[in-house]
Amino acid sequence: MRKRERENPCGVCGHYHKEHETCGICGHRLPNADAQQTAAQLSAFPSEILPDFLFLGSYDNASRSELLKTQGISRVLNTVPACQNLYKNTFTYHCLQDEESIPFDDAMNFLEQCEKDRARVLVHCMSGKNRSPAVVVAYLMKSKGWRLGQSYQWVKERRPSVEISQAVYQQLHDFERKIFGNIENNDPILPVFSSSSVAPAFNFGFEKPNDGTALPAFGNAGTTSIFTSPTSEIPQEFTFGAAQIQNNGAFPRG
């Protein structure tokens, strides 16, 4: 390998390989001549969903061990069996084994243990757009008592590239029913999806907030469906275990 490749890792995957050649570690390859400019625009860091605890990202993010360590991440939830766990001596991994139906209960058990241990955890899939965001949305529903729409918007605001497919959304809807039970006449109608994913403007039945516009109230398990509830201010703080963490609304995006 030439000196240039040894000193300049790939801007996307963080490994050392020649330009436009397949990475021998993760299989990443820059697609075209404009790839360097595109790679420079991509964030190397995963998106922080809950402060100092829950992070969401792609396999590229998960392959950057040094950057994960700078964020204090010590555990990794791999939601895709085909993705390699690259740094078993550095991080504690948990891999979901079902490739079709997401085993939400298995994922919840691992994330709840991470929260109990006050360990920062990265949840990732290949692209960080579909399967791993679904797990994070499910966790917010179960741990915070937020409904599906609230949880999805919270994640979407912090990682705009999220595009949950219709099949995965249906699994989330079923998981919501499992947690909250059936709510007759108030259940959201399945949105119209594109060929494989949710349209970027999809907002689960309420307007996307502009600067200064409030989100629905969170944290109240007894609150009725967000589709009939007025909006209020975004919560300004969260509590994980015994610690209280301030949320200023400005987190890095992956």
Side-chain angles (χ1 to χ4, degrees):
M1 181 180 291
R2 292 178 301 178
K3 182 179 180 181
R4 182 182 178 188
E5 281 84 34
R6 291 198 304 269
E7 294 179 350
N8 297 285
C10 171
V12 175
C13 73
H15 301 135
Y16 296 90
H17 62 91
K18 295 181 180 180
E19 297 175 358
H20 312 305
E21 289 189 3
T22 302
C23 175
I25 297 178
C26 68
H28 166 72
R29 181 177 181 178
L30 296 178
N32 52 50
D34 296 328
Q36 285 186 331
Q37 181 179 358
T38 302
Q41 297 172 348
L42 297 175
S43 173
F45 293 92
S47 306
E48 189 172 12
I49 305 301
L50 293 176
D52 299 324
F53 169 56
L54 186 59
F55 296 79
L56 171 62
S58 64
Y59 186 59
D60 286 336
N61 297 136
S63 69
R64 298 166 178 260
S65 63
E66 293 304 319
L67 294 185
L68 296 184
K69 285 190 287 186
T70 64
Q71 290 185 292
I73 293 171
S74 60
R75 302 185 187 184
V76 177
L77 176 57
N78 179 358
T79 67
V80 180
C83 287
Q84 236 181 331
N85 297 325
L86 299 174
Y87 308 106
K88 293 183 179 180
N89 293 330
T90 304
F91 304 102
T92 299
Y93 285 91
H94 184 75
C95 185
L96 304 183
Q97 298 301 322
D98 195 328
E99 296 183 359
E100 300 297 330
S101 178
I102 302 176
F104 287 120
D105 290 335
D106 184 18
M108 297 305 102
N109 290 337
F110 179 73
L111 292 177
E112 287 169 356
Q113 186 61 49
C114 291
E115 182 176 359
K116 181 179 178 180
D117 296 340
R118 301 180 58 78
R120 299 188 184 193
V121 56
L122 168 67
V123 182
H124 81 87
C125 55
M126 184 59 73
S127 65
K129 294 181 179 181
N130 185 34
R131 192 173 169 95
S132 56
V135 169
V136 171
V137 168
Y139 180 77
L140 295 179
M141 285 194 290
K142 184 174 182 181
S143 67
K144 300 300 176 186
W146 302 350
R147 297 304 304 272
L148 175 53
Q150 293 170 307
S151 301
Y152 173 85
Q153 183 165 338
W154 185 263
V155 173
K156 182 74 172 178
E157 286 295 310
R158 284 148 184 78
R159 191 174 182 84
S161 62
V162 166
E163 297 179 356
I164 295 180
S165 68
Q166 183 174 14
V168 170
Y169 171 78
Q170 184 60 58
Q171 293 180 51
L172 279 171
H173 190 44
D174 292 342
F175 189 69
E176 180 188 36
R177 288 174 178 270
K178 179 179 178 180
I179 296 174
F180 299 103
N182 295 333
I183 301 181
E184 295 181 1
N185 302 323
N186 285 326
D187 286 336
I189 299 173
L190 280 174
V192 177
F193 290 84
S194 60
S195 58
S196 62
S197 62
V198 178
F202 175 57
N203 58 15
F204 281 85
F206 52 86
E207 295 182 359
K208 181 179 183 297
N210 298 318
D211 293 342
T213 303
L215 288 173
F218 297 133
N220 185 354
T223 302
T224 58
S225 171
I226 59 168
F227 303 98
T228 58
S229 300
T231 58
S232 59
E233 295 184 355
I234 303 175
Q236 297 300 312
E237 61 185 18
F238 294 91
T239 301
F240 299 101
Q244 193 175 64
I245 302 169
Q246 296 297 322
N247 172 28
N248 58 18
F251 303 129
R253 296 187 174 182

